[in-house]
């Protein structure tokens, strides 16, 4: 019943690196032409683990937005905004916290994993426990039904879906719901109303999934229904409540396969990244020092490409001819590691050159970035206020 809408965000940790580009930004650039997209600077989420280190947060925010724009995220195609500038996120988070069991939060897989992993920080705060609920509020606030995530983040989307379902169960049930739904169906006209009820019966009595899809399409085409009536009829298809909050679904994305310079996952905390706006000379130097197969201690020692982090770059950047050259040359010691890295140096520099040039435009005129974000925040707030109006009304928080 709601338009296909995507919400995705990133915590502002400063200038982005090549792993971000291949793992997130290239996907954003693609889907911004396929769906209505909102891309969020998740600055409140940055506080869940770094609440005691906010000195550079403002610079991190603007650096990250510059990287988005330089990479090709288009503000004419997508809405770019900062989470904390849309206070409705906090209100919905608060309201959802009233109906969300604490046990649900404690069962989120990353909760205990992060506590065990980040032992240098005190994570015994509600902010850390409740961040999956804030994340759910981010998604549900825009009735986003698609959220791009890797497989490790799917439990968070399932959590958001359960929260939406629980909220709809409590507050989507109105007095005389069935009578109101039938009255709404009559507004479609005799023929369409009869067809809608026939399709609903086929689904509820026989589990006919095609009938459910056909009924949804019928409602999507109905032009003379108010939003409230449309919600009732969508809810009546599958139960006895109207879906005030849309249940999101994961839009699975492939994780970046690029390792860092030391062979571990590319991450700032490991100091092994290739920043997107690094100079060409610095890029060349960093890649030239990249770790290779430890079996190749001497130039004459044969190696195994699949054990070498550089080979992961070749699989992404090189054509079949170059891959064959790398594989044969490494295994026979026909080429050295310095030779193997040279095509990667050239390809990475070539890929990032236009990005760095576009970034220069925004660095020289910061007002361009501020204006883009101001416009995006205004649009995001309009969408957020629409949802909050319905949420407040459903919870009885509208007073005359």
């Amino acid at each position: 019943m709601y338009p296909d809408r995507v919400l995705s965000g990133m915590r502002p940790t400063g200038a982005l690196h090549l792993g971000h580009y291949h793992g997130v930004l290239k996907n954003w650039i693609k889907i911004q032409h396929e769906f209505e997209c909102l891309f969020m600077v998740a600055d409140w989420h940055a506080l869940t683990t770094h609440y005691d280190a906010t000195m550079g947060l403002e610079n991190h925010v603007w650096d990250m937005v510059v990287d988005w724009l330089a990479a090709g995220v288009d503000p004419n195609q997508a809405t770019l905004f900062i989470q904390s500038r849309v206070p409705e996120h906090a209100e919905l988070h608060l309201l959802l916290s009233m109906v969300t069991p604490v046990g649900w939060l404690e069962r989120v897989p990353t909760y205990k994993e992060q506590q065990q992993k980040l032992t240098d920080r005190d994570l015994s705060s509600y902010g850390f426990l409740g961040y999956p609920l804030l994340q759910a509020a981010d998604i549900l606030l825009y009735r986003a039904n698609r959220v791009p995530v890797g497989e490790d983040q799917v439990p968070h989307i399932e959590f958001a879906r359960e929260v939406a379902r629980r909220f709809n169960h409590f507050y989507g049930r109105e007095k005389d719901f069935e009578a109101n739904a039938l009255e709404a169906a009559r507004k479609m006209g005799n023929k369409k109303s009869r067809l809608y009820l026939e399709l609903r019966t086929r689904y509820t009595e026989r589990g006919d999934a095609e009938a459910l899809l056909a009924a949804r399409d019928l409602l999507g085409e109905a032009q003379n229904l108010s939003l409230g009536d449309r919600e009732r009829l969508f809810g009546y298809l599958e139960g006895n409540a109207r879906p005030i909050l849309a249940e999101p679904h994961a839009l699975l994305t492939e994780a970046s396969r690029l390792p860092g310079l030391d062979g571990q996952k590319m991450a700032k905390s490991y100091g092994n990244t290739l920043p997107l706006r690094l100079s060409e000379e610095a890029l060349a130097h960093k890649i030239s020092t990249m770790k290779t197969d430890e079996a190749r201690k001497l130039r004459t020692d044969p190696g195994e490409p699949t054990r070498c982090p550089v080979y992961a770059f070749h699989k992404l950047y090189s054509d079949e001819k170059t891959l064959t050259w790398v594989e044969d040359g490494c295994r026979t010691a026909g080429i050295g590691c310095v030779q193997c890295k040279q095509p990667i140096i050239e390809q990475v520099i070539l890929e990032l050159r236009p990005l760095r040039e576009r970034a220069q435009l925004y660095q020289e005129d910061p007002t361009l970035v501020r204006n883009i974000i101001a416009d995006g925040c205004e649009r995001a707030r309009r969408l957020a206020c629409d949802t909050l109006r319905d949420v407040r009304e459903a919870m009885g928080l509208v007073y005359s």
Side-chain angles (χ1 to χ4, degrees):
M1 61 170 295
Y2 298 112
D4 283 338
R5 184 176 291 156
V6 168
L7 177 86
S8 191
M10 296 175 67
R11 300 203 308 173
T13 56
L16 303 183
H17 55 67
L18 202 60
H20 292 125
Y21 180 64
H22 286 285
V24 179
L25 293 178
K26 289 182 79 171
N27 183 54
W28 283 11
I29 294 163
K30 174 178 176 286
I31 64 174
Q32 69 183 349
H33 300 291
E34 301 172 354
F35 305 104
E36 179 187 353
C37 291
L38 295 103
F39 298 135
M40 177 183 74
V41 178
D43 55 340
W44 280 342
H45 282 292
L47 301 180
T48 59
T49 54
H50 293 78
Y51 55 82
D52 57 345
T54 61
M55 188 71 68
L57 184 59
E58 181 180 5
N59 288 335
H60 290 342
V61 166
W62 297 120
D63 277 342
M64 190 170 74
V65 175
V66 167
D67 282 335
W68 290 2
L69 296 167
V73 177
D74 185 352
N76 294 314
Q77 296 287 335
T79 300
L80 282 61
F81 70 100
I82 297 173
Q83 181 185 32
S84 64
R85 291 196 180 177
V86 184
E88 287 75 15
H89 285 258
E91 182 177 352
L92 185 58
H93 177 215
L94 172 68
L95 295 176
L96 293 177
S97 72
M98 303 301 177
V99 299
T100 303
V102 173
W104 286 15
L105 293 167
E106 293 173 334
R107 286 197 300 269
V108 174
T110 52
Y111 175 61
K112 289 185 178 179
E113 289 173 9
Q114 290 289 302
Q115 281 190 320
Q116 293 169 357
K117 185 177 179 181
L118 303 177
T119 55
D120 59 326
R121 299 170 203 163
D122 179 9
L123 300 179
S124 58
S125 66
Y126 168 72
F128 182 71
L129 173 66
Y131 88 87
L133 186 59
L134 177 57
Q135 189 176 63
D138 297 334
I139 298 165
L140 301 177
L141 186 60
Y142 300 100
R143 289 167 166 151
N145 57 0
R146 299 168 188 263
V147 186
V149 292
E151 288 187 5
D152 61 327
Q153 287 290 307
V154 168
H156 287 265
I157 309 307
E158 292 175 347
F159 173 81
R161 191 159 59 245
E162 290 173 354
V163 170
R165 194 174 298 137
R166 184 174 172 87
F167 183 91
N168 291 336
H169 172 73
F170 281 124
Y171 301 110
R173 293 181 297 172
E174 58 186 353
K175 185 180 179 181
D176 301 325
F177 173 78
E178 185 169 10
N180 290 337
L182 292 173
E183 178 60 31
R186 280 192 284 273
K187 295 176 184 178
M188 299 169 66
N190 290 337
K191 185 177 179 181
K192 289 185 177 180
S193 175
R194 194 162 49 247
L195 176 58
Y196 166 82
L197 294 173
E198 288 173 1
L199 292 168
R200 178 184 182 274
T201 299
R202 280 167 49 191
Y203 174 68
T204 56
E205 293 185 1
R206 286 175 268 167
D208 188 338
E210 290 186 3
L212 177 62
L213 293 175
R216 287 175 174 170
D217 289 341
L218 185 66
L219 291 176
E221 295 168 0
Q223 300 295 320
N224 60 334
L225 293 174
S226 68
L227 178 60
D229 282 340
R230 197 181 299 273
E231 288 176 348
R232 289 182 187 92
L233 291 173
F234 271 99
Y236 189 52
L237 283 173
E238 300 181 68
N240 290 303
R242 63 189 180 106
I244 299 165
L245 298 176
E247 294 184 23
H249 297 274
L251 188 63
L252 283 177
T253 59
E254 189 175 350
S256 173
R257 293 169 294 173
L258 284 182
L261 300 176
D262 58 359
Q264 300 183 83
K265 177 183 177 181
M266 190 176 287
K268 288 182 182 180
S269 57
Y270 296 148
N272 63 1
T273 67
L274 291 171
L276 296 181
R277 284 184 268 152
L278 199 63
S279 70
E280 294 185 2
E281 294 77 12
L283 277 173
H285 174 71
K286 276 183 171 285
I287 296 173
S288 69
T289 63
M290 191 172 185
K291 181 179 178 181
T292 57
D293 180 8
E294 293 180 353
R296 299 203 69 183
K297 299 185 184 303
L298 301 175
R299 166 64 177 78
T300 54
D301 292 334
E304 173 49 52
T306 57
R307 292 197 300 257
C308 178
V310 179
Y311 184 64
F313 279 73
H314 275 292
K315 289 174 71 175
L316 182 65
Y317 283 101
S318 299
D319 56 24
E320 288 298 323
K321 181 180 178 180
T322 305
L323 275 174
T324 300
W325 172 76
V326 167
E327 292 165 359
D328 293 345
C330 181
R331 290 176 178 134
T332 63
I335 62 171
C337 295
V338 173
Q339 287 174 277
C340 179
K341 293 172 182 176
Q342 192 56 42
I344 298 303
I345 292 172
E346 294 170 1
Q347 289 298 318
V348 171
I349 286 176
L350 189 64
E351 180 175 55
L352 296 186
R353 184 175 294 157
L355 186 150
R356 193 167 52 254
E357 291 171 356
R358 287 192 294 268
Q360 189 67 30
L361 170 70
Y362 296 110
Q363 289 174 291
E364 292 174 354
D365 188 0
T367 58
L368 288 174
V369 183
R370 268 58 170 185
N371 290 340
I372 287 168
I373 289 296
D375 290 344
C377 290
E378 183 179 345
R379 169 163 167 69
R381 281 209 74 179
R382 286 199 300 269
L383 295 172
C385 286
D386 285 345
T387 303
L388 253 299
R389 182 185 60 246
D390 293 344
V391 167
R392 294 183 193 119
E393 181 182 351
M395 297 183 77
L397 296 173
V398 177
Y399 310 111
S400 56

